Amino acid sequence: TLKQPWALYYWLSTCIPAPPVAPERKCAFLASPRNTETARSAGNVSGGVQHCARTNCCMGFFQLEHGQARPDLLGNITAVGTSCPESSCHASKPTQNYVRCLCSSDYCNLNITRTYALLYYSCLNIPHKESVRPPHTCDIQKEADIDLANIELQKVVAYGHFACVWQGFFQGSLVALKVFPATLRQAFIKEKDVYLLHSMTHSGIAQFLGAGRMGKEFVLVLELATQGSLNKFLSTNVCNWASTLKLVQTLAQGLAYLHSDFNKNGVYKPVIAHCDLSSSNVLVKADGSCALCDFGCSMVLQCSRTHRALQGHSDRTEQGGIQMGTLHYMSPEILEGCVNLSSGRCLLQGDVYSLGLLLWELLVCCSDLRTDSIVPVHVLPYEAELGPSPSLEDLLSLVSEQRVRPTIPLYWDTHCQGFSVQELLEDCWDHDPDARLTAQCTADRLASLPAELVLGKATFDA
């Protein structure tokens, strides 16, 4: 069909003989069933990779969905005279909720960059001052390399900022396999090193099982969360108060643990800022609990013994900067670009702002918090006000200048053991970073909520 915005473009780009420009350009490959045969004609396909010696260009078409660009068609393009001078994948202007890119390096079409006044939808890089850490602060465990020769890839379950996530079968168990192309080795190393930090084992953090290579690709092996991301879960499930309570409590507990530091058996666990909290980067496990994942933007922090202030550092950041995450969930001060990045405290405060939005996202989907019989529909923060793909300018105006936050329904005037859910959210997403709760305080408040929903009189009056 030629009804899709990229169809005519791709139809004109079938692989035809031409002088070789680059030996076997390797592009990430993805095609829907209706486009698979046409897409394969542009070069040899092996798994998720397409090889074509007749082109220097990779292409990608991405659908804008819930504020993120989801790959819809990836592969080689070989139209004679096609120009692709950029080595990385920069988005065109949106057309019918699609963006496309052309780029000229191996696997460059795997990750698309959408720029809004120098701010990226994926991880943005902001220069910061490096701090010197004591040798013991971030001790990495021994390498967890494992042999992936007998691994079985079954199906793609998600696309991250840097990698594709597969469901697979390994050593008799279903696992999640986060596969990084060879060109993104540094992103693989950065996330692996976070998982390899001592004391990163917690029920609220995705369990790391090992890492290895599969051909030229790098792979993180993780526990499989059978219910997928929180975004997917809320889009396909209706939650009552009991299940919502478990989700919000375990989510906050996981972040509180990530933000904590302690010494255990002579080993120091540092404070870690996630820096990309979103419902796409939280997993829902089979028991209905949450686990944090996707630490590609995370920062390991340390305590300065002299100033007692958190200091940020990044060991192996590809471009030498702090990386922040998804636009929808960025705090006002990060959207404005006016945070003090010489101190890691602002990163933790940014995480708590994102946590507040996630808690709202969960609670607004709770069927027991409604006074009518309408099934709650999952929406992202600010989607009702700005649509699924807001620009930086739109968010700056709404969130920072007007100080608007997601709408809290009138029937949420629910008081539980002395404080309201509304008060909790407002304390998490306060415009003043210093006025926000800590992750641990948020977890403690949520832990005090009763298992049985207690509704105040105002709920019925509303």
Side-chain angles (χ1 to χ4, degrees):
T1 177
L2 300 181
K3 292 183 179 180
Q4 295 296 334
W6 40 259
L8 179 59
Y9 183 80
Y10 196 86
W11 176 73
L12 294 171
S13 307
T14 53
C15 201
I16 62 175
V21 200
E24 293 245 334
R25 170 64 71 223
K26 302 176 185 66
C27 303
F29 178 82
L30 172 73
S32 61
R34 69 176 182 275
N35 293 300
T36 299
E37 291 306 314
T38 303
R40 284 180 180 273
S41 68
N44 296 324
V45 175
S46 176
V49 180
Q50 186 166 39
H51 307 254
C52 190
R54 299 182 177 90
T55 183
N56 192 40
C57 299
C58 296
M59 64 85 187
F61 284 90
F62 297 77
Q63 184 176 12
L64 302 180
E65 186 177 87
H66 298 305
Q68 297 190 10
R70 180 181 60 81
D72 193 68
L73 181 65
L74 307 175
N76 293 112
I77 187 168
T78 57
V80 176
T82 299
S83 174
C84 50
E86 296 287 340
S87 60
S88 56
C89 179
H90 292 276
S92 63
K93 290 184 179 179
T95 303
Q96 297 179 22
N97 218 36
Y98 278 84
V99 291
R100 66 172 179 85
C101 75
L102 292 176
C103 49
S104 58
S105 60
D106 288 349
Y107 306 110
C108 60
N109 60 334
L110 186 62
N111 295 287
I112 193 166
T113 298
R114 296 186 64 204
T115 307
Y116 298 98
L118 302 182
L119 190 65
Y120 299 152
Y121 255 127
S122 56
C123 294
L124 102 108
N125 291 289
I126 305 175
H128 72 291
K129 297 179 181 178
E130 294 289 341
S131 62
V132 179
R133 58 176 183 148
H136 71 278
T137 300
C138 299
D139 290 335
I140 300 290
Q141 300 180 45
K142 292 182 180 180
E143 291 295 322
D145 290 344
I146 54 179
D147 183 6
L148 300 178
N150 296 320
I151 207 158
E152 177 187 339
L153 297 177
Q154 296 181 328
K155 62 180 179 179
V156 175
V157 293
Y159 292 95
H161 289 150
F162 303 114
C164 179
V165 182
W166 290 74
Q167 176 181 302
F169 202 71
F170 180 66
Q171 294 183 344
S173 301
L174 285 173
V175 295
L177 301 151
K178 190 168 184 177
V179 181
F180 297 75
T183 53
L184 294 175
R185 178 175 177 269
Q186 290 302 316
F188 160 78
I189 291 173
K190 185 174 186 291
E191 185 162 7
K192 183 182 75 168
D193 282 356
V194 174
Y195 277 117
L196 284 175
L197 290 169
H198 285 289
S199 304
M200 272 294 281
T201 303
H202 185 268
S203 59
I205 295 173
Q207 184 182 357
F208 175 71
L209 304 176
R213 295 191 65 169
M214 192 169 57
K216 295 183 179 180
E217 297 174 313
F218 299 91
V219 182
L220 297 176
V221 184
L222 307 167
E223 68 169 327
L224 179 68
T226 56
Q227 303 206 60
S229 70
L230 181 60
N231 188 316
K232 179 181 177 182
F233 177 82
L234 293 177
S235 299
T236 55
N237 291 273
V238 176
C239 302
N240 59 18
W241 173 249
S243 59
T244 299
L245 188 62
K246 185 169 187 176
L247 289 165
V248 297
Q249 288 177 341
T250 53
L251 170 60
Q253 289 163 7
L255 184 63
Y257 184 84
L258 200 68
H259 283 190
S260 67
D261 67 328
F262 54 83
N263 280 287
K264 185 177 181 181
N265 300 325
V267 175
Y268 177 60
K269 186 264 177 196
V271 174
I272 301 169
H274 190 282
C275 298
D276 192 13
L277 277 180
S278 72
S279 54
S280 295
N281 291 338
V282 176
L283 301 174
V284 180
K285 299 192 287 188
D287 64 355
S289 63
C290 286
L292 304 182
C293 67
D294 201 336
F295 298 100
C297 297
S298 297
M299 286 291 298
V300 181
L301 308 173
Q302 65 187 40
C303 275
S304 165
R305 296 176 181 176
T306 304
H307 300 96
R308 296 184 180 181
L310 287 172
Q311 302 293 323
H313 79 273
S314 177
D315 262 351
R316 288 169 171 166
T317 309
E318 194 165 1
Q319 300 179 24
I322 293 179
Q323 295 180 310
M324 315 305 290
T326 308
L327 198 57
H328 272 90
Y329 298 86
M330 286 183 185
S331 63
E333 65 274 14
I334 293 177
L335 286 171
E336 294 169 1
C338 59
V339 292
N340 176 15
L341 293 173
S342 65
S343 169
R345 185 179 181 187
C346 65
L347 303 179
L348 304 184
Q349 293 167 334
D351 275 356
V352 172
Y353 171 88
S354 303
L355 175 63
L357 297 184
L358 282 170
L359 295 177
W360 173 88
E361 202 171 335
L362 275 157
L363 291 164
V364 83
C365 284
C366 178
S367 59
D368 288 341
L369 285 177
R370 301 189 68 96
T371 57
D372 52 41
S373 59
I374 300 174
V375 176
V377 176
H378 173 238
V379 291
L380 293 178
Y382 308 117
E383 183 175 354
E385 296 83 359
L386 299 175
S389 302
S391 67
L392 170 62
E393 291 77 11
D394 290 339
L395 281 166
L396 276 172
S397 175
L398 187 75
V399 175
S400 186
E401 296 172 14
Q402 301 175 47
R403 301 194 178 188
V404 172
R405 295 296 182 268
T407 302
I408 295 177
L410 292 175
Y411 49 77
W412 268 24
D413 190 8
T414 303
H415 293 266
C416 305
Q417 297 190 5
F419 74 96
S420 68
V421 171
Q422 176 174 342
E423 179 186 349
L424 173 64
L425 297 183
E426 290 172 346
D427 288 344
C428 285
W429 63 40
D430 196 288
H431 194 81
D432 180 3
D434 291 329
R436 292 175 200 152
L437 300 175
T438 63
Q440 185 59 62
C441 183
T442 305
D444 291 343
R445 284 196 182 184
L446 289 169
S448 70
L449 289 173
E452 298 294 330
L453 189 62
V454 179
L455 298 177
K457 292 181 179 179
T459 301
F460 300 104
D461 294 341

